Amino acid sequence: MRITIEKAAELLNAGEVVAVPTETVYGLAASLKYPQAISQVFSLKGRPSNNPLIVHLSSSADLSRYAHNFPPHTFELTKIFWPGPLTLVLPAIIEIIPETVRARLPTAAFRVPSHPMAQKLLSLTGPLVMPSANLSGSPSATDPMHVEADFGVDFPVVDGGSCTQGVESTILCWQAGKWVIARLGALAPESFFSVLGYCPQVVDTKQGAKSPICPGQLYRHYAPKAHLILTKRTPDNCQGVLIGFSDRHYPGGCRLLSLGDSQIPEQAAERLYAVLRQLDQEGIAEAWVDVDLPDEGLWLTLKERLSKAALDF
Ligand code: TXA
Ligand code: MG
């Protein structure tokens, strides 16, 4: 059910859950003030309780009310990248951020989204927790139709059309005296060089599995029901469906689901989840994926999402 921003604010301020567009992906929003609504977000998604949520704020000026003991460069990062697709994991003021949101960690994740509808809504509701608006494990939602496919046509959604970035925010954590990337996202590692003087490393999430730096990274993610076969060289006898690029030539027998131009990673990011979802909509059991892509910039995020989507747990 498509609802206005005013209706969404009314529902959120009454302790209900609604879906909201952001510049990255749609979020399943609940007010920080309603523990019951926060629990409902976990149960609607089928999300494990040890996977914490991101707190979305309307402005970086609010940050000091919810976090403290800021690591170096925190405010340089917020000044340059907020509002926008950056999430910062910071020491939380634990009296204010409920334990369920933090999954009992001493830290919490924060983001100020730039989407005008998300901004407007936050100004009417105050802080909102918002995981991606998809069933846990499935591809994220970048269109109201994706939200409806997962939660039903009666689920309240603010219709902001398709998300422009198309992949989730980049998550930075402070670890052993440096910022590290806990989740690759819409901002490439190179984006942070000018502020930090170094490119933050991507942490290996499997390494510290007992106390993972970013718990969500341990779970099955972004995966369609279809089995994906990642390849750098599409076999000549390739039949069936191939996820690839409009400017490349593939063997004649396969049907191309295009991620756009292979020189424009932003285009591929914008289309990624819609293409993965299309496989399931059409009941496709298997697809090849062309991953002959550079090891840099936004391509790193896309390749990480595709590798996770291809995992059979
Ligand atoms: O772009 C986005 O970030 C979207 C939109 C809706 O804002 N949200 C999103 O939320 O991707 P979600 O719940 O799908 O992913 C949040 C990630 C999870 O991997 C979680 O483990 C991590 O953030 N996270 C949250 N709090 C954390 C914390 N205190 N320490 C480390 N990781 C944390
Ligand atoms: Mg998610």
Side-chain angles (χ1 to χ4, degrees):
M1 186 201 334
R2 312 289 165 101
I3 57 168
T4 61
I5 296 173
E6 289 70 24
K7 181 68 184 171
E10 189 188 314
L11 291 171
L12 288 163
N13 288 331
E16 309 261 337
V17 175
V18 305
V20 176
T22 82
E23 69 280 18
T24 58
V25 298
Y26 275 72
L28 199 61
S31 165
L32 198 61
K33 289 181 284 211
Y34 284 93
Q36 215 179 311
I38 295 167
S39 305
Q40 210 192 332
V41 163
F42 280 93
S43 58
L44 275 168
K45 275 184 69 88
R47 185 181 178 103
S49 61
N50 63 354
N51 189 4
L53 304 173
I54 299 173
V55 179
H56 294 68
L57 303 171
S58 72
S59 137
S60 50
D62 294 345
L63 190 57
S64 306
R65 295 169 58 192
Y66 302 95
H68 59 177
N69 299 336
F70 296 104
H73 290 119
T74 302
F75 294 105
E76 284 91 337
L77 288 166
T78 60
K79 192 162 175 230
I80 301 227
F81 295 105
W82 281 0
L86 171 66
T87 293
L88 292 177
V89 174
L90 297 166
I93 299 183
I94 56 172
E95 294 77 14
I96 302 202
I97 311 269
E99 226 174 50
T100 45
V101 172
R102 296 180 276 113
R104 298 196 167 76
L105 295 169
T107 54
F110 297 92
R111 170 163 123 76
V112 177
S114 63
H115 194 291
M117 288 178 155
Q119 281 266 332
K120 171 89 204 274
L121 191 60
L122 284 161
S123 74
L124 298 171
T125 59
L128 297 171
V129 293
M130 275 202 257
S132 49
N134 54 279
L135 294 172
S136 221
S138 303
S140 304
T142 52
D143 184 283
M145 281 188 312
H146 302 162
V147 179
E148 288 164 353
D150 281 15
F151 300 106
V153 285
D154 291 333
F155 195 81
V157 189
V158 177
D159 186 350
S162 285
C163 302
T164 51
Q165 304 272 346
V167 290
E168 295 84 346
S169 59
T170 301
I171 303 183
L172 290 185
C173 285
W174 180 254
Q175 198 191 48
K178 285 211 153 181
W179 288 98
V180 294
I181 296 181
R183 177 180 72 183
L184 284 160
L187 289 169
E190 298 87 339
S191 324
F192 303 105
F193 185 85
S194 60
V195 179
L196 301 177
Y198 58 92
C199 262
Q201 296 290 306
V202 183
V203 287
D204 179 1
T205 43
K206 283 182 221 95
Q207 220 173 31
K210 277 200 179 136
S211 54
I213 182 165
C214 186
Q217 297 303 85
L218 293 178
Y219 296 105
R220 184 172 187 271
H221 256 81
Y222 321 117
K225 291 188 185 71
H227 173 59
L228 301 181
I229 310 161
L230 308 190
T231 179
K232 287 199 173 180
R233 198 185 172 285
T234 315
D236 292 336
N237 62 353
C238 171
Q239 298 284 323
V241 173
L242 169 79
I243 297 177
F245 299 89
S246 53
D247 57 327
R248 288 187 177 172
H249 295 288
Y250 298 107
C254 55
R255 175 182 160 215
L256 177 67
L257 292 188
S258 175
L259 291 172
D261 190 300
S262 69
Q263 301 303 308
I264 313 176
E266 293 79 10
Q267 222 170 58
E270 198 183 333
R271 294 183 184 191
L272 177 69
Y273 293 129
V275 166
L276 293 179
R277 281 175 173 270
Q278 190 179 346
L279 298 174
D280 288 349
Q281 264 161 28
E282 295 189 23
I284 295 163
E286 188 174 90
W288 295 87
V289 188
D290 175 2
V291 288
D292 186 12
L293 301 165
D295 278 319
E296 60 184 25
L298 191 52
W299 292 119
L300 290 172
T301 302
L302 291 161
K303 289 208 283 192
E304 188 263 348
R305 298 297 195 268
L306 286 166
S307 332
K308 287 238 166 91
L311 284 178
D312 294 316
F313 272 71

